[in-house]
Amino acid sequence: MRTLSHSKAKKFYDRFGARQDRSTLYEDLPIRLLIENSEFEDANSVLEFGCGTGRLAERLLAEHLTSETAYTALDISDTMIGLTRGRLAQWNSRVEVRQTAGQMTLDADDSSYDRFVSTYVFDLLSIGDIVKLLDEAHRVLQPGGLICLVSLTAGHGFGAKLATGMWRLAYWISPAVMGGCRPIRLWRYLFADHWEAKFRRVVCPGGLCSEILIARCVKENEPARADLTFDFQSAVRR
Ligand SMILES: C[S@@+](CC[C@H](N)C(=O)[O-])C[C@H]1O[C@@H](n2cnc3c(N)ncnc32)[C@H](O)[C@@H]1O
């Protein structure tokens, strides 16, 4: 399936700007579940990819992270970077908001973060970019660090299937109309020996389904922690 090029995605989000925050009907519940299951109170350094208006960063810094936690927010869009900088200004001493050129390579040392967060961004990336970014997230996370993701996904049940079908049709006509986002099954790309699943849930508020995926980064020679093992694949079949 064709996806928006990085330059087209940038153009769209430069124009879309603060309207991104109107998607509360379908985003609020998935984001709440992400926050509840990501152990943010224990985080030392968070990297957010595709921070949008900075809404999630502001909420995490104000309510969930300690006063020591460092936060790096990346985005391709000038407008989004401007909005995020304004929103996070009061935490300037430990926040870095950085504009990227859209590349999947992260300008960060190996094992330098303990949370990698991204909401509603993987669903607009090409499959090749998804795989590259997951590899990079694994590289920059410390062993035991968490990857914390939310993306649009396909739904079960009549209403959710109808909403997914309509979204796919609109995307097929023009990916740009849907902000480049389409329903994907993110767990398929994550389930490798790099990750130990911690939490997966699909929820469909307002008929639009989101997948919340949280997994622990496992690096070579580190034994898997059986207490956290959760089988994404059988959960999907249920
Ligand atoms: C659908 S919005 C989601 C924004 C925010 N994470 C949220 O949940 O509200 C997608 C965001 O990803 C950014 N983005 C798209 N492609 C990107 C890329 N290749 N690199 C970095 N950011 C990107 C867009 O500028 C936009 O801010």
Side-chain angles (χ1 to χ4, degrees):
M1 199 179 258
R2 71 209 151 109
T3 48
L4 284 189
S5 65
H6 296 163
S7 62
K8 282 195 176 147
K10 175 181 180 320
K11 213 181 259 176
F12 178 91
Y13 286 100
D14 278 345
R15 269 186 279 116
F16 199 54
R19 277 181 284 167
Q20 179 62 39
D21 288 352
R22 293 189 196 154
S23 343
T24 51
L25 175 67
Y26 73 91
E27 289 188 5
D28 278 1
L29 174 62
I31 298 292
R32 180 164 64 73
L33 287 169
L34 182 88
I35 292 174
E36 283 173 6
N37 291 283
S38 296
E39 303 170 15
F40 282 117
E41 45 303 328
D42 300 328
N44 292 311
S45 47
V46 180
L47 177 62
E48 183 180 2
F49 187 90
C51 57
T53 63
R55 188 162 52 132
L56 175 60
E58 181 183 38
R59 185 165 165 190
L60 294 177
L61 286 156
E63 298 170 27
H64 299 280
L65 297 169
T66 72
S67 55
E68 311 286 296
T69 312
Y71 203 103
T72 306
L74 308 178
D75 204 284
I76 194 175
S77 152
D78 303 87
T79 309
M80 294 305 195
I81 288 291
L83 290 168
T84 301
R85 286 202 174 122
R87 222 163 183 166
L88 306 187
Q90 61 175 299
W91 294 285
N92 249 347
S93 58
R94 59 198 170 94
V95 167
E96 188 188 356
V97 182
R98 209 187 307 147
Q99 186 169 15
T100 70
Q103 76 280 8
M104 299 300 113
T105 313
L106 300 171
D107 183 13
D109 291 339
D110 294 359
S111 304
S112 49
Y113 289 91
D114 58 12
R115 296 291 179 281
F116 176 94
V117 179
S118 192
T119 62
Y120 300 103
V121 182
F122 276 78
D123 46 27
L124 60 76
L125 300 176
S126 67
I127 304 300
D129 277 354
I130 291 176
V131 172
K132 263 189 235 158
L133 188 54
L134 286 174
D135 263 2
E136 276 291 274
H138 183 265
R139 180 182 69 75
V140 303
L141 274 173
Q142 295 157 10
L146 296 178
I147 188 167
C148 314
L149 307 175
V150 180
S151 70
L152 279 179
T153 196
H156 304 284
F158 180 74
K161 275 188 178 153
L162 187 67
T164 304
M166 284 166 58
W167 188 292
R168 282 202 167 120
L169 177 65
Y171 182 91
W172 178 77
I173 293 166
S174 169
V177 174
M178 313 313 288
C181 300
R182 81 289 192 198
I184 57 169
R185 290 195 167 89
L186 197 46
W187 62 270
R188 286 187 174 165
Y189 308 103
L190 195 71
F191 198 58
D193 53 0
H194 278 171
W195 304 105
E196 194 175 71
K198 176 179 179 342
F199 180 87
R200 176 182 185 271
R201 182 86 51 87
V202 172
V203 290
C204 306
L208 267 181
C209 299
S210 295
E211 178 180 27
I212 305 104
L213 271 187
I214 302 168
R216 208 169 281 279
C217 172
V218 179
K219 299 222 165 163
E220 244 170 77
N221 303 327
E222 197 204 16
R225 287 172 48 180
D227 58 314
L228 289 169
T229 302
F230 174 93
D231 185 349
F232 287 150
Q233 309 205 35
S234 44
V236 166
R237 275 186 229 112
R238 247 181 262 142

